[in-house]
Amino acid sequence: MATEIILKPLKWFSNKTLRRRSRSRSNSRSSNSLSSPISSSCTTPRNSNREDELREVYRHFDGDGDGKISAFELRSYFGSIGEYLSHEEAQGLILDLDSDGDNLLDFQDFTKLMNNIRNDEEDEDLRKAFEMFVWEKGSSCITPKGLQQMFHRLGDDKSYDDCVAMIDAFDIDHNGVLDFNEFHQMMMA
């Protein structure tokens, strides 16, 4: 089954790790080719398959096929899918991720970018799950009572003491509640 992958620049620039750092480097070279939208088949998410998928995506960005992505190629790709990306935004993204100082993204830099995006999406999903367990709105923590209420909604009646014990298992600062970082560690365990 084929699906179309369209990367939106807003996701790229919402990541705080992708914000432009104030570094000065020389201007990048440019190329004159446009890339087309990307198609990929759904596969199991194994590392080798993920790398193959990333290489396929990378080839669509690398319009001239030289193994590097310039600011012009970034802008060209986004223009081909109907998204505007200024030269400054493209250059800022490259400056933030370029590991060898050539003002271009190689495959390793591109992989770092895609992994940052993937991690941000996972964190966003985890944040939504965390908020489902927060019983007292605005408290930004999971209490034993909130955990008990969520279990009740899910049809699993746990005692208050059971919920206290569950929280204690991952309560790093021993304050009797789980904050998002503790919840994150619990979910990744």
Side-chain angles (χ1 to χ4, degrees):
M1 176 170 104
T3 60
E4 185 168 320
I5 300 171
I6 298 178
L7 302 171
K8 299 286 185 181
L10 295 177
K11 278 190 177 182
W12 291 42
F13 298 115
S14 67
N15 181 344
K16 59 185 161 200
T17 64
L18 301 179
R19 292 207 172 93
R20 182 177 182 178
R21 294 182 205 147
S22 55
R23 295 188 267 179
S24 62
R25 295 186 184 173
S26 62
N27 288 337
S28 69
R29 62 143 178 89
S30 50
S31 121
N32 291 325
S33 65
L34 288 175
S35 300
S36 60
I38 304 164
S39 296
S40 174
S41 60
C42 294
T43 58
T44 57
R46 293 190 182 130
N47 285 341
S48 62
N49 288 340
R50 170 125 172 101
E51 184 174 332
D52 292 342
E53 290 171 0
L54 287 176
R55 286 196 185 280
E56 181 181 344
V57 171
Y58 184 79
R59 281 192 293 272
H60 287 282
F61 278 85
D62 182 16
D64 63 4
D66 68 349
K68 300 278 187 160
I69 299 172
S70 68
F72 182 81
E73 288 170 318
L74 272 178
R75 292 185 69 209
S76 295
Y77 174 78
F78 283 114
S80 75
I81 62 170
E83 294 288 337
Y84 175 75
L85 184 64
S86 74
H87 178 74
E88 291 76 22
E89 289 172 319
Q91 191 62 39
L93 180 60
I94 288 174
L95 288 173
D96 198 38
L97 295 167
D98 180 21
S99 61
D100 60 7
D102 64 356
N103 287 339
L104 303 167
L105 295 182
D106 59 22
F107 182 69
Q108 180 181 355
D109 298 332
F110 184 76
T111 300
K112 183 170 51 172
L113 168 67
M114 298 308 286
N115 288 337
N116 286 344
I117 291 170
R118 185 179 193 182
N119 290 341
D120 281 354
E121 289 172 350
E122 290 172 359
D123 282 350
E124 184 179 324
D125 290 343
L126 206 53
R127 171 104 21 219
K128 288 177 184 175
F130 172 77
E131 290 171 2
M132 290 176 60
F133 286 91
V134 174
W135 184 247
E136 299 169 23
K137 299 302 175 199
S139 71
S140 70
C141 61
I142 300 172
T143 63
K145 184 69 175 170
L147 185 59
Q148 184 182 27
Q149 291 294 329
M150 180 51 76
F151 275 121
H152 179 73
R153 284 187 216 154
L154 296 171
D156 189 1
D157 289 324
K158 298 283 184 193
S159 73
Y160 183 84
D161 290 337
D162 288 342
C163 294
V164 168
M166 285 181 223
I167 286 177
D168 282 344
F170 294 96
D171 185 13
I172 296 167
D173 58 8
H174 304 290
N175 63 353
V177 297
L178 293 181
D179 61 27
F180 178 73
N181 292 329
E182 293 166 330
F183 180 76
H184 186 275
Q185 288 184 4
M186 177 184 76
M187 297 305 287
M188 297 302 151

